[in-house]
Amino acid sequence: MSKTTILFITQLLCGIGHVQTDVEIHKTEIKSDPEALAQAGNSITLTCSVTSVATSRLPNQITYRFYKGSQKNVLLNTSMIPEPKYSFTIQSARATHTGYYVCVVNVGDQTATSGNIYIEVTGQIQRPRLTIQPMKVIVGNEIGLSCDAAEEIPPLDFTFYKYKNGKPSPVGQKGTNTNFVTHTLKVTETTDQVYSCKFKGRSLATTSTYSEPVTITVQDPFSSHLFTIEPQSRIFEGDDFTMRCTVQMSSLVPSYTKVELTITKGTTPIAKSVTGEAKISKKATADDTGLYTCHAKWKETLKILEKQVTVAVPVSKPSLRSTAFNSIVAQGDCLHLTCAVVRGSWPIIYTFYKGTPENSLYRSILNATAGVYTIPSADTADSGEYFCQAENNAGVKHRSERSQNININVKGTKPMWLEYHIPRILAFLLLFIICCYVHVKYRKIKRRKIVKQQNQGSVKENTVAVYSKVKEKAHPNEDKDYVNIPSSKGTGTDSECDCEMN
């Protein structure tokens, strides 16, 4: 420990309570040797001087403090002496010594600050050194990075880098008034293995080179992650099948750690577990066909495995349909026969037959639930019974189903004149039928009218005859053309006659 430091501590412990107040500071000044420009490796001497007036008989103790930075960023030296001038020497200057310097003087209870001086030091900046703890981690853990530039003078700005595909990318930046800095970083991927750092003096235009790269060991938290489906080969409808999603954790993960496992079909979760295994066992159906995923999640780490499940389904009995109306098609027209199934795993073989199973017309293998056979121009020879057959390999054995038979009748083409005149003939016949109906109806109505008139005339004649006979009996001497019926009540016979006339 230097004498000035001992003197300063003694002053603080013994006489700080008797500071002299009868002091006046006139001027404080700082100078450097060499001035303004220095070479790296050489020394730099900073001198701080003060002009003051003291009326006390006791000598004044003066405290000198040297700072780097116009804002007094870094304290370089503190000394207490009774002299009005003090020098501080930087033994081996470095490029990071470039910057502003200032000194502060305390005399008694008076404080004064000098003006700033700027010194530029030419030379190379040292290469920093990077250390990392721990060196073995798993994804999701944190690591501590420490970048050290022990020979450089602060303030310094440090930047940390992570390498991906051999290229560095910044992952953190810190400024400090020391010549080292630490940074905490979370490992997010298994590729986060190589790191480095560099720094820059705040008064420098250039930065240091990258530190020596440091490689750590990053382990996947899941030492194994499996998604198995049994049976492994093709699954048939009605089979027992099992899906398992399992995971084993890395030895760096605590044994009590729980990992979340989920089996999903599409986007729908169908099984969950935190015991290290998620499992589904069931009878296979056609609806079980689809894409399944196994999710393993721990903290921010998520692993996904996918499996496609296809449940083979035997073909159903096919149905055969045609474009013929009422099973009749005109000669020369196009005829389509469609063989369709309701269910069945692809590929499906469709075969069309006429008459017998030995007479195969057309065969196709399709990833579809229907096959089509086309006769572009039907002929009378195409008349007959047709059927189809659908088959696939959706079971232990080959599955084949036959449709019902349908009958197709191809009619010959009609003569052109007949096709031209048939509508006119039909129209004439319809008009003739209507005319006949109207004529018959008219004759019936006319006949009824004549009969009615005849009936009415007969009744009138009968009435006149009866009346004449009655008159002759009542008035035998009167003229037959004279008619006089008394209004007074007559005999019962007259009365009855009168009623009949009325």
Side-chain angles (χ1 to χ4, degrees), residues 260-308:
E260 181 181 340
L261 296 176
T262 305
I263 298 177
T264 64
K265 182 184 179 184
T267 59
T268 305
I270 58 177
K272 288 187 177 182
S273 175
V274 292
T275 62
E277 179 185 70
K279 178 181 175 182
I280 296 176
S281 295
K282 65 189 302 286
K283 290 283 188 181
T285 65
D287 293 336
D288 293 323
T289 297
L291 180 65
Y292 293 81
T293 55
C294 168
H295 298 253
K297 184 178 181 182
W298 179 73
K299 292 185 177 180
E300 290 82 14
T301 303
L302 176 64
K303 288 295 183 67
I304 299 176
L305 296 177
E306 294 183 345
K307 291 282 186 178
Q308 177 66 40

